[in-house]
Amino acid sequence: MATDYYAVLGVRRDASQDEIKKAFRRLARELHPDVNPDPKTQERFKEINAAYEVLSDPQKKQVYDLGGDPLSQAGGAGAGGFGAGGFGNFSDIMDAFFGTASQRGPRSRTRRGQDAMIRLEVELDEAAFGTTKDIQVDTAVVCTTCSGEGAAPGTSAQTCDMCRGRGEVSQVTRSFLGQVMTSRPCPQCQGFGTVVPTPCPECAGDGRVRSRRTLTVKIPAGVDNGTRIQLAGEGEVGPGGGPAGDLYVEIHELPHAMFQRRGDDLHCTVTLPMTAAALGTKVPLETLDGLEEVDIRPGTQSGQSIPLHGRGVTHLRGGGRGDLIVHVEVQTPSKLDPEQERLLRELAALRGEERPQGQFQPGQQGLFSRLKDAFNGR
């Protein structure tokens, strides 16, 4: 059975390279032969060495994840050694015992800014057909006083006298391996290699300040709750006047008084008196496209749906629109006056229980029309 390298290092299969390296360093400190000479421990150390060699190499890791044997394809693991096949490279064992090696050279003061996100409320018709909106954004922008340099006008950054511009300081320590030199970021300049004796009074040396800007956002037709619109380069400017991140506008659709949205379809309910549902009628309905008449056929029952095709929300991707679904609710009167009750009883006697609902026999149509007039107060 093939060795489960992820289990050997105690990491998930979706672990990042940083997580894999941290797990290896932790185990290496515990199981290294110079620290723990037990033979079983040495075998375990060879296993984590081989696992790290595979999982830390993107190409070998891909072969392993696809079911192959990257070590046999690469000519063997060289387990237990510190050469090309063993610990990956010598700096990895140094990291395991003395911490992560610092990046050579000073860090740049200029870095990319963070992404930002704001919430934008839109009406149903704006989401359905698209629109443009002006939004106000509070973000970091380049300091105009120092142009992002961080130093007060007339001054500039100076080379750090502790690290002499290298951004790191070195220290020699003794270990079982002999004398080992380690490096760490310079505590005086924080690894930048330079210091700012007189910071800019406007931005306090950061190279950026907070400011409110107005942006015009184009809202495409068909957006829905949670849709995010990316505005590249409109986020926060980075430290030292670095490039700006992106701004994401998240759409929040406001509830509509009449329509409920389900995907790209709209739904609404119209209430009819039973006489109108029985005889049929036309109901005016204010849609997103303007006033339209909904045709109610004779004998319409409560709960029936009438689709108006192409009257819904525009599809965000692709052409066309959803539908408007009209749900019919037939209203039954809770109280009847004597004339209404008489007419209903007369109609019931004429129809009989065996008559199919929604069909009128001779003489019933005129009676139902009088009944309709009675309910309408005529």
Side-chain angles (χ1 to χ4, degrees), residues 67-376:
D69 186 354
L71 294 183
S72 64
Q73 296 177 23
F82 298 116
F87 244 87
N89 55 59
F90 189 73
S91 66
D92 289 329
I93 191 171
M94 292 297 98
D95 289 351
F97 287 94
F98 304 108
T100 304
S102 63
Q103 181 180 355
R104 294 298 176 185
R107 291 191 300 143
S108 174
R109 290 185 179 274
T110 302
R111 300 192 300 276
R112 182 183 184 275
Q114 292 184 343
D115 295 338
M117 187 179 73
I118 64 170
R119 193 183 195 193
L120 179 61
E121 294 182 340
V122 298
E123 301 287 348
L124 175 60
D125 59 332
E126 295 174 327
F129 301 123
T131 186
T132 56
K133 280 185 171 289
D134 290 336
I135 59 174
Q136 290 188 329
V137 185
D138 291 319
T139 56
V141 298
V142 175
C143 175
T144 56
T145 302
C146 66
S147 300
E149 297 295 329
T155 67
S156 61
Q158 299 179 3
T159 301
C160 175
D161 57 9
M162 177 175 285
C163 66
R164 297 182 181 179
R166 296 194 307 272
E168 60 183 14
V169 292
S170 301
Q171 181 180 5
V172 177
T173 57
R174 301 184 65 85
S175 73
F176 58 85
L177 295 174
Q179 289 187 339
V180 177
M181 178 177 292
T182 60
S183 299
R184 59 188 176 89
C186 174
Q188 179 167 295
C189 67
Q190 309 303 317
F192 293 118
T194 59
V195 293
V196 181
T198 311
C200 172
E202 185 68 25
C203 65
D206 192 40
R208 54 184 183 169
V209 293
R210 305 297 298 185
S211 178
R212 174 168 293 186
R213 297 178 295 148
T214 300
L215 300 175
T216 299
V217 183
K218 183 179 180 180
I219 310 298
V223 294
D224 202 350
N225 273 324
T227 300
R228 291 185 179 180
I229 301 170
Q230 181 182 11
L231 302 180
E234 297 293 352
E236 293 196 348
V237 166
D246 297 335
L247 174 65
Y248 292 88
V249 179
E250 185 175 88
I251 299 299
H252 175 67
E253 186 179 293
L254 295 172
H256 193 272
M258 178 178 294
F259 301 119
Q260 296 83 45
R261 179 174 177 179
R262 301 175 193 171
D264 289 340
D265 291 336
L266 299 178
H267 295 255
C268 70
T269 300
V270 295
T271 302
L272 302 173
M274 65 176 188
T275 51
L279 294 173
T281 187
K282 291 187 180 295
V283 177
L285 179 66
E286 189 67 41
T287 70
L288 296 182
D289 299 276
L291 188 64
E292 296 194 23
E293 286 191 338
V294 181
D295 185 19
I296 307 295
R297 295 183 179 181
T300 296
Q301 303 298 302
S302 189
Q304 284 187 230
S305 299
I306 302 172
L308 300 182
H309 299 293
R311 292 295 184 268
V313 177
T314 304
H315 299 314
L316 182 60
R317 295 176 179 84
R321 295 170 58 182
D323 299 331
L324 171 58
I325 312 298
V326 181
H327 300 272
V328 177
E329 182 180 278
V330 178
Q331 191 175 44
T332 302
S334 57
K335 293 182 180 181
L336 299 174
D337 61 30
E339 177 64 14
Q340 293 170 343
E341 184 175 356
R342 183 187 67 79
L343 291 171
L344 277 176
R345 290 187 181 280
E346 185 178 345
L347 177 65
L350 282 173
R351 286 175 60 83
E353 293 184 356
E354 75 282 359
R355 300 297 185 192
Q357 198 171 22
Q359 296 181 13
F360 294 102
Q361 299 300 314
Q364 294 179 358
Q365 180 74 50
L367 178 59
F368 213 91
S369 296
R370 285 189 287 140
L371 181 62
K372 180 179 179 182
D373 292 341
F375 276 96
N376 290 336

